[in-house]
């Protein structure tokens, strides 16, 4: 299953939530935040091997954003924040973004998808 081909209509995290998380008071960066939220959501879905917000995957975590586990939302918010805070840097320290939050997704990862076979 490709999680990049079928983009979500509703994202699990809103721009308003990201702005509150990042303490941004203006609307100037709303479109870039939307892009970072989408990229963070796609990254999370890639790791989880399932959709976060239901589009076509019966093993999706949620149908509406209120059902998305808080740890998954937190992963998306922190990754969005990393991208936002490093948007103007030509090189990130050690060539990686902060990864202390990577394990937030662990409880929701599907390591084997029965519907896709071996």
């Amino acid at each position: 299953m490709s999680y990049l081909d079928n983009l979500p209509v509703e994202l699990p995290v809103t721009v308003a939530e990201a702005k509150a998380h990042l303490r941004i008071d203006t609307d100037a960066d709303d479109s870039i935040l939307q892009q970072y939220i989408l990229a963070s959501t796609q990254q999370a879905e890639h790791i989880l091997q399932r959709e976060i917000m239901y589009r076509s995957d019966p093993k999706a975590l949620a149908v509406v954003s209120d059902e998305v586990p808080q740890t998954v939302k937190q992963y998306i918010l922190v990754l969005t924040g990393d991208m936002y805070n490093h948007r103007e840097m030509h090189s990130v320290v050690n060539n990686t973004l902060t990864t202390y939050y990577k394990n937030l997704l662990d409880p929701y990862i599907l390591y084997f998808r029965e519907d896709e076979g071996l």
Side-chain angles (χ1 to χ4, degrees):
M1 175 174 280
S2 173
Y3 299 101
L4 301 178
D5 296 336
N6 188 9
L7 300 178
V9 174
E10 179 185 4
L11 293 171
V13 171
T14 66
V15 171
E17 290 171 316
K19 286 168 71 173
H21 174 75
L22 296 167
R23 297 181 182 155
I24 298 172
D25 295 327
T26 69
D27 297 333
D29 291 334
D30 283 7
S31 68
I32 191 92
L33 284 172
Q34 182 76 20
Q35 292 173 28
Y36 292 155
I37 293 167
L38 178 58
S40 299
T41 300
Q42 289 174 328
Q43 176 64 22
E45 289 183 342
H46 173 74
I47 292 168
L48 296 172
Q49 291 298 298
R50 62 166 135 181
E51 295 171 354
I52 294 171
M53 300 291 298
Y54 177 79
R55 300 182 303 278
S56 63
D57 183 0
K59 295 188 182 230
L61 286 176
V63 175
V64 294
S65 62
D66 291 344
E67 297 173 350
V68 176
Q70 282 304 117
T71 53
V72 174
K73 283 189 172 199
Q74 190 61 40
Y75 174 88
I76 294 167
L77 286 169
V78 176
L79 184 55
T80 297
D82 257 2
M83 287 190 258
Y84 181 78
N85 290 327
H86 293 99
R87 68 193 178 283
E88 295 179 7
M89 296 179 70
H90 295 287
S91 64
V92 180
V93 177
N94 297 330
N95 295 324
T96 61
L97 295 175
T98 308
T99 58
Y100 68 89
Y101 51 86
K102 182 180 174 222
N103 297 79
L104 290 172
L105 299 177
D106 287 354
Y108 306 101
I109 295 173
L110 290 179
Y111 291 101
F112 175 73
R113 292 211 29 135
E114 293 175 9
D115 59 336
E116 292 182 0
L118 293 173

